[in-house]
Amino acid sequence: MSVTEPEAAFTFLSQGALIQEFKVAGHNIVQSLPEARFYKSHNDAYLGETIGRTTNRVKGAILENLNGKSYKLAVNDGDNPNSLHGGFQGWGKQDFEGPRPVNRNGREGVQFRYLSRDGEEGYPGTVECFVWYTAAMEGEKTVLEIEYQVELLGDECEETVCGVTNHRYALACASALSGSFHHPCDQPQNGLTILFASYFHVNPGMPTTEGTVITLGTDQFLELDQHQIPTGRIATFPLFPRPGNSFTLGATEPAIDDCFVIDNTAPQSCPLDSRSLPLRHLATISHPDTGLSLEIQSTEPAFQFYTGDGLYIPEAKTDKDIIISSRGKRSGIAIEPSRYVNCAGREEWRGMCRLRKGELWGAKSVYRGWKE
């Protein structure tokens, strides 16, 4: 999906229903790759992908006491014995049906659909996932809304687990915001400007996010063990000011890869389909050199905030023999709305992601970009 006005545009790919381009004032603020094929060969960083069947980590790569049995999942979390982002071939690596043009909630957009079969990456049950992207201009702000829905369809089991998010890296150094929204399918899906896709960067002209100003909606986070799995304790993050106050990213500090909690009652209060809940502020990122800003809101009770210290995107050569330089650590920021990390593997948190027949899992997030 893309907006034909060059100043405000979105482009999506069928693989992973991923976001390849999010233009604000003519600047792509997501880390992206120039051609669709590179998302198969150069995307260990999950750029722009729809993450599923579960998000983030599942402890020990095993689901216990589900349908009265245990299920082994892929172990793909580096040195940790966990399953990460749905496995080696999670939803971000799969081809979705779409984009199909839709009008949803009065806004122009596109729909993607994916059918995940029983046993894929070890997960039980056949589920159907829909992803809707809708876009609009609100005054001088470019707005992208993402909505997810998952339903258990198959007869293989009575319950499964799920969680969906987008793994966007953002950039923050660019230029001016204006333009109108056009249909996302009007533009080709390759040959786009290269800044970021799923990793945000509001200074797209620079190699790192140094100087980016961050404001988070919470200072509460899930305390982790040595294998990056929550201990169950929600604590105050030691490096941040109070919620609503800003801090600036340096060249190497702070280095963060943690799950921040908006709602600490979520295990008891978060509905399986959170779309009916009010949107809550997760984060705002901006850069003084470009005047670009991005605000993220969601109905989800938590979000992963990652400063990209392990990010690496190898050099690529396009079909037109154009060399796209490699990108390294801190070249984008990831903010991923979600349920709690390891809610699928922790019995007292599993209500946030346990999906039974006749139920819907759902979530909604909104991204607003503008230039001062």
Side-chain angles (χ1 to χ4, degrees):
M1 158 174 159
S2 102
V3 186
T4 52
E5 272 302 319
E7 292 296 306
F10 302 92
T11 304
F12 305 95
L13 295 180
S14 294
Q15 181 195 321
L18 65 81
I19 298 175
Q20 190 182 27
E21 185 179 43
F22 183 163
K23 277 192 174 182
V24 174
H27 298 272
N28 186 16
I29 62 164
V30 294
Q31 275 292 1
S32 61
L33 298 167
E35 297 174 3
R37 62 188 176 95
F38 292 128
Y39 286 92
K40 300 282 189 185
S41 60
H42 288 63
N43 199 18
D44 289 343
Y46 305 95
L47 296 182
E49 294 182 354
T50 298
I51 301 299
R53 180 175 302 195
T54 56
T55 62
N56 219 302
R57 294 173 170 88
V58 177
K59 180 181 180 179
I62 190 167
L63 298 172
E64 297 181 325
N65 301 319
L66 192 66
N67 296 301
K69 60 179 73 174
S70 295
Y71 298 88
K72 292 183 178 180
L73 309 177
V75 179
N76 66 324
D77 189 20
D79 294 333
N80 297 311
N82 309 314
S83 190
L84 178 66
H85 292 333
F88 288 108
Q89 296 295 317
W91 290 0
K93 310 301 182 190
Q94 306 297 329
D95 291 327
F96 283 59
E97 296 176 9
R100 185 172 74 85
V102 296
N103 187 294
R104 190 167 180 83
N105 301 322
R107 288 183 171 180
E108 186 178 0
V110 292
Q111 173 187 288
F112 290 90
R113 174 186 178 270
Y114 179 63
L115 192 68
S116 177
R117 299 290 183 181
D118 175 55
E120 183 179 86
E121 292 294 320
Y123 289 92
T126 296
V127 301
E128 180 182 47
C129 173
F130 284 99
V131 181
W132 291 281
Y133 295 106
T134 57
M137 296 297 297
E138 293 180 356
E140 292 299 306
K141 294 183 178 182
T142 303
V143 182
L144 176 66
E145 181 175 294
I146 308 176
E147 188 178 343
Y148 303 107
Q149 179 178 294
V150 183
E151 184 176 6
L152 178 61
L153 297 182
D155 295 325
E156 303 91 355
C157 61
E158 294 300 318
E159 60 181 4
T160 187
V161 292
C162 70
V164 190
T165 191
N166 186 278
H167 203 282
R168 221 161 4 288
Y169 288 86
L171 314 168
C173 265
S175 295
L177 173 65
S178 64
S180 58
F181 178 70
H182 295 259
H183 201 278
C185 301
D186 292 340
Q187 299 288 339
Q189 293 180 335
N190 53 16
L192 301 175
T193 54
I194 299 143
L195 288 175
F196 59 63
S198 231
Y199 283 85
F200 295 106
H201 192 336
V202 284
N203 192 358
M206 302 300 291
T208 75
T209 56
E210 182 178 0
T212 299
V213 179
I214 309 290
T215 306
L216 297 184
T218 181
D219 60 359
Q220 301 296 292
F221 82 116
L222 297 178
E223 184 182 73
L224 301 177
D225 66 16
Q226 71 271 27
H227 296 303
Q228 302 299 301
I229 295 296
T231 63
R233 179 173 178 262
I234 298 175
T236 299
F237 197 77
L239 300 180
F240 288 167
R242 300 296 297 172
N245 294 327
S246 302
F247 61 96
T248 302
L249 297 183
T252 59
E253 297 291 338
I256 302 162
D257 188 8
D258 286 282
C259 184
F260 288 84
V261 175
I262 293 291
D263 181 2
N264 60 14
T265 68
Q268 297 78 38
S269 63
C270 181
L272 189 64
D273 187 346
S274 72
R275 289 175 291 179
S276 62
L277 297 179
L279 291 165
R280 291 173 286 195
H281 175 256
L282 306 188
T284 301
I285 65 174
S286 62
H287 201 288
D289 290 350
T290 63
L292 288 174
S293 296
L294 179 70
E295 177 191 45
I296 300 105
Q297 296 178 308
S298 182
T299 61
E300 292 289 75
F303 62 96
Q304 189 78 10
F305 176 54
Y306 177 41
T307 49
D309 296 270
L311 181 58
Y312 175 70
I313 307 166
E315 179 182 276
K317 186 177 182 180
T318 72
D319 290 338
K320 296 182 178 180
D321 292 332
I322 298 172
I323 301 298
I324 307 303
S325 299
S326 63
R327 282 155 281 175
K329 63 181 183 180
R330 298 177 81 84
S331 59
I333 303 159
I335 300 170
E336 307 157 41
S338 67
R339 310 290 157 98
Y340 290 8
V341 176
N342 192 43
C343 63
R346 193 179 187 97
E347 186 62 35
E348 61 267 37
W349 291 354
R350 190 173 286 174
M352 289 189 282
C353 67
R354 180 191 281 114
L355 178 63
R356 296 186 173 100
K357 289 182 180 180
E359 297 178 331
L360 294 177
W361 184 97
K364 180 171 65 177
S365 297
V366 174
Y367 301 80
R368 288 182 176 87
W370 69 93
K371 182 179 173 62
E372 299 291 349

